Amino acid sequence: RPDVVYVPFSDSPPLRWALLWRANNATARVRAFAEAARQLVDDAP
């Protein structure tokens, strides 16, 4: 998707992150993606 980007950087301390989206755009697809991401994080070592 051209409106989603990944910007790597290595010159800062570790930080916490989260998925964000507008509440009025919380479609079933967005919720499914967020759930899949949560499962990946929960299953990480």
Side-chain angles (χ1 to χ4, degrees):
R1 291 192 47 161
D3 57 335
V4 176
V5 298
Y6 172 74
V7 181
F9 57 92
S10 59
D11 60 347
S12 72
L15 55 104
R16 296 180 70 101
W17 58 272
L19 294 173
L20 301 172
W21 59 87
R22 293 179 188 211
N24 62 349
N25 287 345
T27 64
R29 185 173 289 182
V30 169
R31 288 188 296 272
F33 178 80
E35 177 61 18
R38 187 194 61 77
Q39 288 177 3
L40 284 172
V41 170
D42 287 349
D43 293 343

